Amino acid sequence: MNQDMHFDLVILGILGAFILYSLLTRVVDRSVLTLPIIFMCLGYALAEPLRNAAPPEVLDEGKRLLAEITLVLVLFSDASHVQFKQLRQSWKLPARMLIIGLPLSIGLGTLVTVLISPEGGVAMALLTAAVLTPTDAALGQGVVTSANVPEKLSETINVESGLNDGLVLPFVLLGAILASAGMAGTSTEGLALSALVQIVLGPVAGIVTGWVVARLMDVAQARRFISESAEGVVFLAASFAAYVLAEVIGGNGFIAAFVSGMIFGNTYRHNIRFVREFMEGAGMLLTMASFLVFGALLLPDGLAHASLKTVVIAVMFLTVVRVGAIWLSLTGAGLNASEKLFLGWFGPRGLASILFTLVIIDEFEFPNEAELLACVSMTVALSILVHGLSSTPLARWIGKRSQ
């Protein structure tokens, strides 16, 4: 069998898995399994066939392209659903977790990583902490959608996970630049200015794109120029327009996509359901592909470089770092100990951490890249399992505790 036919058969098998999962989504929802668990395991099972079927450069280009497309859409979509009007009524808990808890998580995570693995340096510790700070509500979907969970808690988890991946981007960029600058022979001239320009001009591109597209779409809706089937196209094009505009003027495209989504969602005067509908369809396909790529291309390399140190770092990020930072940020917020622990525990690491890692490893050179990959792989893999399996029973538990 030639390589081309082998590759075609592997792709056919993956597409068959996508179809089968989609046909059985309601059955899966009633089980302890989750989309991330299924496709991470499938990817790991297909790791060897996939590597044998395609040249390394093809796989590298494919995973980078998938990561960029998915990250742009996720950032825009998540931000577009955070409504400022609703936040005015229930902003205190998410604000505490984002304004206090997020920097605390990064700071505490950097300290823990330096103490456990000092040879990596502070810059790599900062990068590791930044990549592992954003959360993914999809890994604990049983919590977000459960009727047992008090609304204030499920809404807080939704808002935090929707915003923290975009807010952590400057820290990821800073850590990547500082860690890359530590490489021997790397020129550091102009790095600080370049980072500042990206962080400043990215939001500018996002604000312009989000506002202009929202206003144009409002006019098209008011005059009945646009059909329902075209609304998803506008969302798709606006996401990438913000990204491309930022790249053209020297800003960071991912920050632009996040800011653009937030401005679009709060400027557009009509129903924004088409964004959610698009992400429930095409977005699910990209999510399945991302977790499959993680299982096939990142997890095997991560496990190959895993050590006791990386396992300890992963466990610390999922427990002490996350829970400790959130507990401190919620002190004085009027929550009991069970509620604070619940919000601290449900900070699963998933899609954002995977996508950030795929992008920065391709874009930068680091002195201790293998350990970063191992830390991310171990943390995400453990999170996919423990958060996915604990979401339903803990949703029942917090429901009983809140009665």
Side-chain angles (χ1 to χ4, degrees), residues 223-308:
R223 300 186 180 183
R224 299 184 179 276
F225 289 165
I226 186 170
S227 64
E228 281 192 25
S229 60
E231 292 174 342
V233 176
V234 175
F235 153 62
L236 190 66
S239 306
F240 291 106
Y243 178 90
V244 173
L245 178 60
E247 295 292 315
V248 168
I249 65 176
N252 183 275
F254 298 115
I255 295 177
F258 177 74
V259 174
S260 181
M262 189 176 297
I263 298 300
F264 179 88
N266 287 277
T267 303
Y268 184 57
R269 296 172 181 172
H270 295 79
N271 197 314
I272 202 172
R273 69 181 186 281
F274 56 88
V275 174
R276 190 182 305 277
E277 289 171 354
F278 181 92
M279 291 303 290
E280 285 176 353
M284 180 187 288
L285 184 63
L286 290 172
T287 301
M288 289 189 285
S290 296
F291 281 106
L292 187 141
V293 166
F294 168 70
L297 303 181
L298 285 188
L299 187 56
D301 289 342
L303 291 176
H305 295 102
S307 63
L308 180 60

Side-chain angles (χ1 to χ4, degrees), residues 53-76:
E57 58 272 16
V58 173
L59 294 178
D60 288 341
E61 286 295 321
K63 71 182 182 184
R64 170 64 189 266
L65 182 61
L66 173 67
E68 290 189 336
I69 290 173
T70 307
L71 189 53
V72 167
L73 292 177
V74 166
L75 289 169
F76 188 102

